[in-house]
Amino acid sequence: MFCRNCGNAMDPNQAVCLTCGTPAGAGSAFCPNCGNPVAPSAVVCVSCGVALQQKPAVGGKSKIAAGLLAIFLGQLGIHNFYLGYTKKAVIQLLVTILLSWTFVAPTAIWIWAIVEAVQIFQGKITDANGMALSD
Ligand SMILES: [Zn+2]
Ligand SMILES: [Zn+2]
């Protein structure tokens, strides 16, 4: 296996390239199978034919933190503030506060937040910059 960022050989058990410090699978400049340079947008390596899967880059936001915020403070949109989805967060916050005298609206927002919590734990939701959440 080769580092996708610098093309140096690396042990399959290594989590990080010892040459450039890039996490295994991150980067798009080299084929992980044969180590030849590939185009960043290539889906298949033209040298060896292996499929090039682009692992989403992992950002600094935590899956656990986002998920717990969604479960406990999701009605106030706190998890979306955390992830950077400010517009969505404000909608959840305002609907919950302004329509708190109704039963339906806060419940709907709560269900919405729980659905998002599940998606966060399943890794289906990234932060607002498109970075995957860390485990
Ligand atoms: Zn490297
Ligand atoms: Zn290759």
Side-chain angles (χ1 to χ4, degrees):
M1 154 177 194
F2 296 87
C3 172
R4 296 218 58 199
N5 185 54
C6 69
N8 275 302
M10 59 189 281
D11 190 281
N13 299 321
Q14 259 172 246
V16 170
C17 170
L18 298 180
T19 310
C20 68
T22 301
S28 56
F30 293 89
C31 171
N33 185 51
C34 66
N36 279 313
V38 294
S41 56
V43 243
V44 167
C45 171
V46 288
S47 306
C48 69
V50 84
L52 301 170
Q53 277 170 345
Q54 188 62 44
K55 253 194 210 172
V58 175
K61 305 280 167 62
S62 150
K63 206 184 267 185
I64 305 286
L68 291 180
L69 287 173
I71 291 169
F72 294 107
L73 298 166
Q75 270 182 309
L76 303 175
I78 304 298
H79 59 300
N80 280 318
F81 282 115
Y82 173 71
L83 294 176
Y85 297 109
T86 311
K87 220 185 266 176
K88 191 155 72 167
V90 168
I91 292 170
Q92 292 173 328
L93 180 67
L94 288 183
V95 170
T96 296
I97 289 177
L98 297 179
L99 300 176
S100 59
W101 51 275
T102 69
F103 173 75
V104 176
T107 306
I109 299 294
W110 182 71
I111 291 170
W112 181 7
I114 295 299
V115 168
E116 287 185 329
V118 171
Q119 289 173 335
I120 286 167
F121 284 122
Q122 288 174 336
K124 287 182 183 167
I125 288 186
T126 62
D127 71 17
N129 297 320
M131 303 286 261
L133 306 181
S134 62
D135 286 314

